[in-house]
């Protein structure tokens, strides 16, 4: 079984307000996308990574990733992304090699997802699940709000999960979902698209560290997480 990861990284990241595409925002001097790809490279199952970069940034992204992974020049392919996340995933998927039978899709913005989470998702697909997503319990009460601002419905929190990436798929399933997608109705994630084929989506335990860098406060969390990881590594095995 050969596993590839498609990394959509072509978003503008306007909610972050950094003035550069989100994937290129530095955390401790290293762009988010580089953090994300280093995490994937550290997962033993991952044989290749296809990055969908901002269309005007393909060359600099290619150079940054080559510099970050000098020993594995064959691992990463960089293609130009599209105007929606789904377009970027479709363009990345088109560049996945023919020998690949498990495909993960992973947001560059979830740059600190632990390699162990990647392995958990791959293992669930290899055991037979056609589609796998990591999910976490939702700490907040979630309400449905009408256009007039009034709250109508409060779903039972115990049944809700916040869904993350990497999401994993049998390759044929993801290919079919993208081949049939309607460009006028962009899906919120890849599992939602696969679900439209009637395929069951399996949920595995997510990770707090796989949070999506979206708001300025997420950058503070990212700095703190990296500092904690560095301290743990410096402390050796006993930490
Ligand atoms: O905007 P949001 O945080 O939902 O984006 C999720 C991921 O999709 C990010 O990694 C972003 O770079 C990517 N994306 C993309 N192409 C777009 C829009 C978003 O690759 N046109």
């Amino acid at each position: 079984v050969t596993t590839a990861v498609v990394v959509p990284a072509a978003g503008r990241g306007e909610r972050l307000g950094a003035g550069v595409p989100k994937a290129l925002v530095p955390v401790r001097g290293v762009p988010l996308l580089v953090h994300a790809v280093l995490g994937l490279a550290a997962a033993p199952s991952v044989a290749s990574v296809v990055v969908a970069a901002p269309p005007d940034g393909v060359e600099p992204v290619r150079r940054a990733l080559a510099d970050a992974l000098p020993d594995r020049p064959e691992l990463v392919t960089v293609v130009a992304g599209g105007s929606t996340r789904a377009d970027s995933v479709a363009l990345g998927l088109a560049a996945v090699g023919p020998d690949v039978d498990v495909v993960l899709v992973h947001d560059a913005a979830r740059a600190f997802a632990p390699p162990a989470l990647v392995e958990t998702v791959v293992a669930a697909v290899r055991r037979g699940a056609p589609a796998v997503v990591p999910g976490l319990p939702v700490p907040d009460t979630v309400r449905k709000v009408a256009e007039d601002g009034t709250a109508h419905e409060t779903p039972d929190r115990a049944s809700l999960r916040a869904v993350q990436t990497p999401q994993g798929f049998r390759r044929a399933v993801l290919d079919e979902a993208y081949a049939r997608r309607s460009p006028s109705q962009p899906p919120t994630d890849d599992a939602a698209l696969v679900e439209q084929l009637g395929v069951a989506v399996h949920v595995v335990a997510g990770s707090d560290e796989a949070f999506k860098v979206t708001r300025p406060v997420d950058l503070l969390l990212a700095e703190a997480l990296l500092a904690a990881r560095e301290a743990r590594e410096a402390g050796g095995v006993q930490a």
Side-chain angles (χ1 to χ4, degrees):
V1 184
T2 304
T3 299
V5 189
V6 173
V7 180
R12 287 185 297 276
E14 277 158 5
R15 285 169 293 180
L16 204 54
V20 292
K22 180 157 67 176
L24 306 182
V25 172
V27 177
R28 296 203 138 206
V30 176
L32 274 179
L33 173 63
V34 173
H35 285 291
V37 173
L38 288 173
L40 294 168
S45 301
V46 172
S48 66
V49 176
V50 180
V51 172
D56 56 357
V58 171
E59 271 314 312
V61 162
R62 206 171 265 155
R63 272 197 302 274
L65 290 170
D67 289 349
L69 286 157
D71 301 333
R72 301 182 71 184
E74 78 302 339
L75 182 75
V76 184
T77 305
V78 183
V79 300
S83 55
T84 66
R85 181 186 181 281
D87 289 341
S88 296
V89 173
L91 290 161
L93 201 50
V96 167
D99 55 325
V100 169
D101 39 23
V102 174
V103 176
L104 269 50
V105 182
H106 184 48
D107 288 331
R110 297 186 189 272
F112 309 102
L117 179 64
V118 177
E119 293 300 305
T120 298
V121 171
V122 172
V125 180
R126 287 186 179 174
R127 276 198 304 271
V132 177
V133 301
L136 282 181
V138 179
D140 297 318
T141 292
V142 177
R143 283 180 187 273
K144 256 190 159 164
V145 179
E147 272 179 30
D148 66 2
T150 56
H152 289 283
E153 220 183 295
T154 308
D156 175 20
R157 206 170 66 184
S159 70
L160 297 176
R161 293 293 177 274
V163 168
Q164 305 177 314
T165 74
Q167 302 189 348
F169 306 92
R170 222 177 276 156
R171 196 242 179 100
V173 168
L174 193 61
D175 279 346
E176 187 182 352
Y178 270 89
R180 292 198 192 183
R181 91 191 153 105
S182 135
S184 59
Q185 288 176 308
T188 61
D189 68 1
D190 307 283
L193 198 58
V194 160
E195 217 161 30
Q196 289 169 13
L197 303 176
V199 170
V201 175
H202 181 71
V203 183
V204 297
S207 166
D208 287 334
E209 298 187 0
F211 66 96
K212 184 162 73 172
V213 176
T214 305
R215 308 152 301 175
V217 70
D218 296 321
L219 289 173
L220 300 177
L221 183 56
E223 301 272 353
L225 174 62
L226 283 184
R229 284 184 182 173
E230 274 173 28
R232 203 165 53 209
E233 276 157 29
V237 284
Q238 72 269 36

